[in-house]
Amino acid sequence: MKEFYKCPSAQLLSEYDSGFQGLTRQQAEQALKRFGENRLQEEKKKGPLQVFIEQFKDLLVIILIVAGIISMFTGNLESTIVIFAVIILNAILGTVQHFKAEKSLESLRSLSSPNAKVLRDGERQEIPSALVVPGDVVVLEAGDLVPADGRIIECHSLQVQESALTGEAESVDKTEEIIEGDHIALGDQKNMVFSSSLVTYGRALVLVTSTGMDTEIGRIATLMNTTQERRTPLQVSLDNFSKKLSILILAVCALVFGISLFRQMPVLDSLMFAVALAVAAIPEALSSIVTISLAIGTSKMAKEHAIMKKLQAVEGLGCVSVICSDKTGTLTQNRMTVTDSYVFDPSQSDRLQLASILCNDGSVSGDSTLGDPTETALIDAYRLAHTDYFDMLKQYPRQAELPFDSDRKLMSTVHQIGQDCLLLTKGAPDVLLQRVDHITDQGIVRPITDEDREVIRKANQSFSEQGLRVLAFAQKILNSCEVSQESENGYTFLGLVAMVDPPRAESAQAVADCYRAGIKPIMITGDHVATASAIAKKIGILKDGDLAVTGSELDQMDDETLSHKLPHISVYARVSPEHKIRIVGLWQKLGNVVAMTGDGVNDAPALKKADIGIAMGITGTEVSKDAASMILTDDNFATIIKAVANGRNIYSNIKNAIGFLLSGNTAGILAVLFCSLMGLPVPFAAVHLLFINLLTDSLPAIAVSMEPPAKELLHEPPRDSKESILTSQFLSQIVTQGILLTIATLVAFYLGLTVNAATASTMAFATLCLGRLWHGFNARGKGSLVKLGFFKNPYSIGAFCLGAGLLALVLLCPPLERLFSIAPLNGFQLLAILVCSIVPTLLIQLFRIIRGK
Ligand code: ATP
């Protein structure tokens, strides 16, 4: 490995044919062809064959295979063929679904993949980190993820956290100076940055020296495991359920086999019963329904500006009971406009205005002002009144700087003005005023008095109470143009500037939705408590009797006191990221599921700690996006509520689909059990049940997972996250519906039995199949169809028609008769099937209508 830290940066730049302007686009393209994309190699993905074979590892499928073999020995060759055809078809579908789900995950992942800022053709551009090439000049700023290894060529107080490589959690200071020596450890290569480190402070230009697997992290990384998404809690609990179910099925099969033998039924017939039962009981479509629902749900959410980075979070979303949101940009528009200013002494007015553009990281390009809205507002205000913006920048160039960070809440720059090195600082008034010891009064600088402070504090308070964001400005003459954080005190006060940032139009409605849905919205902001309270009142977060507390008040409360007050606090102001972690932790201790937004460099730990960490797609730092489980592509609070509604909907759809599948299976089991106990012939052939379970039952189940969110979804309190999906109430509902379907099936069976066993079995099969298709309409929701709206979910109508068409084909098409063990039916029998099958659904609907009233 070349020791880049030893080389002068000019030499390195020329070796890479690059410069302070970066590469040209053409050079970058060529380099990309030569070095490939800047990605770590991913774990080898499973091939189709491997996935296909894995489908047979399922215990339920093994039971089916055994059933197929048994029916071969019972001389039922058609059944065997159909069973095996079905098993293979099922495995193919499983394989296709696996790759589809993977693809949709991948596209979600690519939506949330990190970006990097590079100079190309001398222009600053944001590109996907994967397209960074050796020779690129990358701009690093606080909050960025370092996209590749590189040598620092220009450094402004850069601090980087390299724990991914060195295990060291503390940030280290970086430099652009050459480092002498051989074999210097990575942690000591202070003029180098390494891929996947986090920039916690400052700014730098970096020449990329290696990318992809050539980077240090690429060398040590055991292959990136991106393919295996952990199973969601729901999937895990369904897996467990399936296991228990399989054991139960085997036990009941043995029981039925025993009963049949006891009744001195021939062994082969007894086996047929057991096989039918096994096939009836296995919910083949169960696990794929969950996968399909999650895939459909997350892609819908992405279209509605919420990208789910972690699939597990989708279920958690539905349980969210507290949403902690940033103010600026999430609840407000992040469109700042300067509306007012204050100076203690009118002679300082010009200096205040000058400071507002010099101590400023925004810039002007053509007609637009670029940068953070707080900064651009100051530039725009200056340019409205003056024409000499560019002249001033040229006249007083920046000599040094201390960038803004939300812990310090200050930003400073140094400029040569005449003989003097002038330090200009802007920041939160309460913070900056503490560092001020002089003031200009009638053109003369004198020590500041407590009365002066009170006057300024009042001015600040009056701006803040109008919901304005206030910045204070101060200046100080330095001995040299070098600056460190120790220099940030002993200032002379300049003035205050106030700006508005109106709430987003949707915020108030979204907050009202939160309350209705049993979710507590909380504002957490770095801004002043009066500003925050004014905005929070406007959008309804801060209600009468609610509290607004500041970070320093939080520091004075112990956990117990804070826990007591927690439910009443709606606004936290002037907080630091550490406070956020504490607030999340305490809410969680009270048994809540907490969603928290974050955009800053230091928000990552709080985002990870929250149940649902939410990052801002537009203004958020790469670090925060990396830590989050969801990304808002429009930075909008209202999107969170929409996502919660979607999360709730996905869960309830999955639950409804599961209820549908299990109640249908229950009906199959009970019918077989009944016939076995009563010494009647087998009501279904294995093929019948497979046809229902795999084909006609999957259609309504998929339709149910497409059910659009009902209006009432946000009128109920959040679900208890610890509650299992299969509650006793849910199970008893499944059994009741199953019994209704069983009765209908048996009535048809008895009608058929007056002719012969084959007709009876055909009628039982057709009634159960059609009955379950009708039942698909019940499964769409808790309410009656009148309430749900019959046409609201066109898929459910389509599913019914397609399923009924397939059934008609099997019943009425002579070539299929033998394959599906179908006896020919007359008109009366067909009518009986129709009537029997629809009765359970009519009863369920009637019950719901009465209950609704
Ligand atoms: P939120 O956490 O809701 O996004 P915020 O954007 O107000 O709130 P910070 O960005 O941490 O929070 O800002 C905290 C305070 O720092 C602001 O109230 C303001 O007084 C000051 N401040 C913000 N931006 C700047 C800046 N660019 N330069 C100097 N001071 C700033």
Side-chain angles (χ1 to χ4, degrees):
M1 180 74 182
K2 196 164 167 189
E3 294 173 316
F4 295 108
Y5 56 86
K6 271 202 223 165
C7 307
S9 50
Q11 180 194 329
L12 271 178
L13 278 171
S14 77
E15 264 177 41
Y16 280 92
D17 213 3
S18 187
F20 279 87
Q21 303 286 304
L23 297 175
T24 63
R25 261 161 228 174
Q26 207 180 3
Q27 276 179 313
E29 263 166 41
Q30 278 163 0
L32 191 63
K33 271 191 205 131
R34 189 165 146 219
F35 296 100
E37 288 202 351
N38 176 32
R39 279 182 206 278
L40 294 183
Q41 224 164 30
E42 291 176 4
E43 196 174 66
K44 235 184 116 203
K45 288 198 184 127
K46 286 182 198 156
L49 190 66
Q50 199 184 351
V51 176
F52 181 75
I53 290 169
E54 271 175 17
Q55 307 293 316
F56 295 93
K57 283 189 191 153
D58 196 70
L59 187 55
L60 295 177
V61 175
I62 294 171
I63 297 180
L64 266 187
I65 294 176
V66 174
I69 295 172
I70 291 176
S71 52
M72 190 161 72
F73 284 113
T74 54
N76 207 334
L77 201 61
E78 281 96 2
S79 267
T80 313
I81 293 172
V82 175
I83 291 180
F84 279 102
V86 155
I87 292 172
I88 290 170
L89 190 71
N90 195 33
I92 294 175
L93 281 179
T95 310
V96 171
Q97 224 169 60
H98 171 95
F99 285 104
K100 268 209 168 147
E102 198 163 81
K103 208 169 140 203
S104 92
L105 270 183
E106 225 158 67
S107 69
L108 276 184
R109 215 179 283 132
S110 73
L111 280 177
S112 60
S113 68
N115 284 337
K117 287 162 270 181
V118 295
L119 299 180
R120 296 260 172 99
D121 286 331
E123 261 175 41
R124 184 177 152 145
Q125 295 186 339
E126 197 159 320
I127 60 167
S129 295
L131 302 183
V132 169
V133 293
D136 257 330
V137 173
V138 170
V139 184
L140 291 182
E141 285 165 322
D144 290 345
L145 286 173
V146 178
D149 289 2
R151 167 68 200 275
I152 299 171
I153 54 175
E154 193 185 302
C155 186
H156 301 278
S157 323
L158 187 77
Q159 289 179 3
V160 174
Q161 206 247 44
E162 300 180 325
S163 63
L165 274 173
T166 60
E168 182 57 59
E170 286 286 302
S171 295
V172 287
D173 287 308
K174 293 287 178 176
T175 168
E176 60 196 43
E177 308 296 333
I178 288 189
I179 293 174
E180 299 292 350
D182 296 314
H183 312 300
I184 295 207
L186 286 187
D188 296 324
Q189 297 186 15
K190 303 274 174 171
N191 58 8
M192 294 287 294
V193 288
F194 303 101
S195 175
S196 61
S197 319
L198 323 174
V199 181
T200 53
Y201 188 76
R203 222 154 48 88
L205 287 185
V206 168
L207 170 74
V208 174
T209 50
S210 22
T211 57
M213 291 307 282
D214 296 333
T215 59
E216 293 296 334
I217 192 87
R219 239 183 281 223
I220 60 165
T222 43
L223 297 173
M224 273 247 294
N225 189 348
T226 54
T227 46
Q228 265 182 11
E229 194 76 14
R230 245 180 53 209
R231 294 178 79 71
T232 73
L234 185 60
Q235 283 172 321
V236 172
S237 83
L238 280 181
D239 283 351
N240 290 338
F241 174 73
S242 293
K243 268 194 208 115
K244 282 187 206 145
L245 189 68
S246 317
I247 295 167
L248 188 76
I249 291 170
L250 287 179
V252 178
C253 285
L255 182 76
V256 167
F257 185 60
I259 293 175
S260 314
L261 285 186
F262 178 74
R263 287 179 174 282
Q264 289 166 350
M265 218 186 244
V267 179
L268 286 186
D269 287 353
S270 309
L271 271 176
M272 284 286 283
F273 255 115
V275 167
L277 191 69
V279 176
I282 298 171
E284 287 87 351
L286 202 60
S287 74
S288 42
I289 284 302
V290 180
T291 320
I292 293 175
S293 302
L294 286 173
I296 296 172
T298 46
S299 74
K300 173 163 179 265
M301 287 163 89
K303 276 187 210 118
E304 294 178 0
H305 305 293
I307 296 173
M308 298 309 298
K309 272 187 62 197
K310 299 190 181 125
L311 212 50
Q312 294 93 307
V314 179
E315 285 162 31
L317 257 182
C319 308
V320 165
S321 52
V322 175
I323 301 179
C324 301
S325 172
D326 281 332
K327 170 178 71 74
T328 312
T330 315
L331 289 161
T332 68
Q333 300 177 5
N334 209 9
R335 274 203 212 117
M336 311 261 178
T337 317
V338 173
T339 55
D340 217 332
S341 67
Y342 164 85
V343 281
F344 188 84
D345 180 12
S347 73
Q348 294 304 296
S349 188
D350 286 350
R351 182 50 68 86
L352 177 65
Q353 294 192 31
L354 184 62
S356 76
I357 54 162
L358 292 184
C359 181
N360 193 315
D361 274 338
S363 60
V364 174
S365 155
D367 287 339
S368 46
T369 321
L370 308 175
D372 183 89
T374 306
E375 315 263 317
T376 57
L378 294 169
I379 297 177
D380 291 341
Y382 185 91
R383 293 183 72 210
L384 264 179
H386 306 80
T387 51
D388 60 356
Y389 171 74
F390 293 105
D391 300 336
M392 289 297 134
L393 293 193
K394 229 178 257 156
Q395 203 172 334
Y396 309 115
R398 188 182 288 193
Q399 308 289 341
E401 67 187 57
L402 291 169
F404 172 75
D405 76 68
S406 45
D407 277 333
R408 222 165 88 252
K409 300 187 169 57
L410 298 175
M411 143 171 195
S412 298
T413 55
V414 183
H415 307 265
Q416 185 100 37
I417 294 191
Q419 294 303 309
D420 293 330
C421 281
L422 187 72
L423 174 66
L424 292 173
T425 299
K426 76 173 189 297
D430 30 336
V431 178
L432 191 53
L433 261 186
Q434 286 172 4
R435 299 165 185 242
V436 163
D437 53 17
H438 281 77
I439 196 161
T440 316
D441 190 1
Q442 296 175 3
I444 295 165
V445 177
R446 63 162 173 81
I448 193 166
T449 64
D450 286 347
E451 289 78 50
D452 301 334
R453 286 185 198 276
E454 192 52 28
V455 172
I456 299 169
R457 213 190 53 76
K458 277 203 178 123
N460 178 29
Q461 188 71 17
S462 115
F463 286 146
S464 300
E465 279 167 5
Q466 299 164 46
L468 301 177
R469 156 181 285 228
V470 194
L471 291 179
F473 285 81
Q475 64 177 10
K476 170 184 177 182
I477 308 283
L478 297 174
N479 296 329
S480 78
C481 280
E482 272 168 30
V483 64
S484 71
Q485 286 193 18
E486 283 80 64
S487 328
E488 286 182 318
N489 53 50
Y491 288 109
T492 303
F493 180 72
L494 276 176
L496 304 175
V497 175
M499 43 187 90
V500 288
D501 176 19
R504 285 177 182 267
E506 316 86 318
S507 290
Q509 182 58 48
V511 166
D513 287 345
C514 270
Y515 280 115
R516 191 169 321 122
I519 300 170
K520 175 152 179 85
I522 294 172
M523 176 191 279
I524 301 191
T525 174
D527 216 334
H528 190 276
V529 65
T531 312
S533 301
I535 305 260
K537 248 186 215 145
K538 218 181 242 174
I539 55 184
I541 287 189
L542 189 69
K543 296 185 166 173
D544 291 341
D546 283 359
L547 299 173
V549 301
T550 62
S552 50
E553 286 167 349
L554 278 185
D555 289 335
Q556 275 148 28
M557 284 184 228
D558 58 20
D559 279 358
E560 209 187 313
T561 322
L562 183 53
S563 291
H564 280 302
K565 290 205 170 159
L566 214 55
H568 309 291
I569 305 176
S570 298
V571 173
Y572 295 87
R574 286 283 191 252
V575 291
S576 65
E578 290 76 49
H579 291 126
K580 288 190 170 184
I581 301 177
R582 192 169 164 217
I583 297 165
V584 173
L586 287 177
W587 271 111
Q588 284 172 331
K589 264 203 193 140
L590 293 180
N592 288 276
V593 176
V594 185
M596 167 160 287
T597 69
D599 48 9
V601 202
N602 303 323
D603 283 337
L607 290 178
K608 282 197 181 136
K609 171 128 184 104
D611 300 277
I612 312 283
I614 306 171
M616 301 298 137
I618 305 173
T619 54
T621 54
E622 292 298 328
V623 174
S624 63
K625 289 184 211 168
D626 192 56
S629 44
M630 172 168 132
I631 299 178
L632 303 182
T633 53
D634 62 355
D635 289 12
N636 190 341
F637 179 77
T639 303
I640 305 177
I641 281 293
K642 256 195 250 163
V644 168
N646 276 319
R648 289 186 178 190
N649 189 42
I650 292 172
Y651 188 87
S652 93
N653 286 352
I654 290 179
K655 189 168 173 173
N656 289 337
I658 291 173
F660 168 74
L661 292 173
L662 293 185
S663 58
N665 279 20
T666 308
I669 300 172
L670 291 180
V672 176
L673 260 181
F674 179 85
C675 292
S676 154
L677 289 172
M678 299 297 290
L680 297 168
V682 196
F684 314 107
V687 276
H688 292 159
L689 294 163
L690 283 175
F691 178 82
I692 298 177
N693 282 6
L694 274 164
L695 222 58
T696 54
D697 241 19
S698 310
L699 299 168
I702 292 173
V704 166
S705 64
M706 305 271 222
E707 184 74 19
K711 257 201 242 106
E712 303 81 59
L713 213 61
L714 285 180
H715 294 188
E716 290 164 12
R719 183 180 94 238
D720 180 359
S721 62
K722 285 181 223 78
E723 187 187 282
S724 141
I725 191 164
L726 301 158
T727 55
S728 53
Q729 194 202 354
F730 185 51
L731 288 176
S732 66
Q733 180 197 319
I734 289 173
V735 173
T736 319
Q737 295 176 351
I739 291 175
L740 284 177
L741 285 167
T742 313
I743 295 172
T745 306
L746 289 176
V747 169
F749 181 72
Y750 271 110
L751 280 177
L753 216 49
T754 56
V755 184
N756 58 29
T759 310
S761 154
T762 303
M763 285 186 70
F765 154 63
T767 308
L768 184 62
C769 181
L770 196 59
R772 281 160 81 161
L773 284 170
W774 288 119
H775 186 43
F777 291 114
N778 299 325
R780 283 180 45 206
K782 273 187 273 184
S784 68
L785 278 176
V786 185
K787 212 162 150 224
L788 289 176
F790 184 72
F791 296 102
K792 274 252 174 72
N793 183 352
Y795 300 101
S796 73
I797 301 171
F800 177 84
C801 294
L802 190 58
L806 285 170
L807 177 64
L809 203 68
V810 169
L811 290 182
L812 306 174
C813 178
L816 292 178
E817 267 176 13
R818 244 178 83 81
L819 208 56
F820 283 93
S821 315
I822 297 292
L825 300 175
N826 61 32
F828 169 74
Q829 287 157 339
L830 287 173
L831 186 69
I833 290 169
L834 189 67
V835 173
C836 287
S837 66
I838 203 170
V839 168
T841 296
L842 290 180
L843 286 177
I844 291 170
Q845 286 299 319
L846 197 67
F847 170 74
R848 288 182 181 177
I849 290 171
I850 294 169
R851 186 187 56 185
K853 292 214 165 110

